[in-house]
Amino acid sequence: MVQFTDLISAAGYAIETVGVMIILIGSSVSAWAYARSLFQSQSKFEFIDFRRKLGRSVILGLEFLIAGDIIRTVIVAESLENVLILGLIILIRSFLTVTLHLEIEGHWPWQPPPDRDR
């Protein structure tokens, strides 16, 4: 019979796999749309849009990777060393998420979006 921790570990890996797939698919779709826009003169898809779409897929993928790490580390591997490593991984990924958001949106996540009509 399969143990509970094995099921939770498999769920953590599945969530991490979803995160990787989101990054791969999002980057592929963004790159395809940008490459296609280069050959269509009437298209308004610009490099800034490519970076924005790519960054959003990376941010979403990072969220899934963090969730998978939390599930596998806290539930499956209950040692203090593993929890400290998890904390460091979450800190690094959260820093990446915040800086990517700043780069993409032009403001910090806790600030309201700037008025673009001005």
Side-chain angles (χ1 to χ4, degrees), residues 13-95:
Y13 282 121
I15 291 171
E16 287 180 337
T17 302
V18 169
V20 170
M21 295 304 294
I22 287 171
I23 293 171
L24 289 174
I25 292 170
S27 62
S28 298
V29 168
S30 299
W32 175 258
Y34 179 66
R36 196 177 69 202
S37 74
L38 292 176
F39 298 108
Q40 296 175 349
S41 60
Q42 71 270 17
S43 177
K44 298 196 178 208
F45 190 83
E46 298 175 2
F47 182 70
I48 293 170
D49 293 328
F50 167 65
R51 288 182 59 206
R52 184 172 288 131
K53 289 181 180 188
L54 179 63
R56 286 181 179 156
S57 66
V58 170
I59 288 172
L60 183 60
L62 282 173
E63 296 295 330
F64 276 89
L65 290 170
I66 289 171
D69 279 340
I70 290 171
I71 289 171
R72 284 187 313 100
T73 302
V74 174
I75 302 298
V76 177
E78 300 174 352
S79 72
L80 181 60
E81 181 181 348
N82 288 336
V83 172
L84 292 174
I85 291 171
L86 171 68
L88 183 61
I89 290 170
I90 289 174
L91 185 67
I92 292 168
R93 288 184 178 165
S94 297
F95 175 76

Side-chain angles (χ1 to χ4, degrees), residues 101-112:
H101 184 276
L102 177 64
E103 176 100 9
I104 293 167
E105 301 295 332
H107 61 89
W108 294 106
W110 53 85
Q111 292 177 327

Side-chain angles (χ1 to χ4, degrees), residues 3-18:
Q3 293 185 352
F4 177 72
T5 55
D6 293 336
L7 289 175
I8 297 299
S9 180
Y13 282 121
I15 291 171
E16 287 180 337
T17 302
V18 169

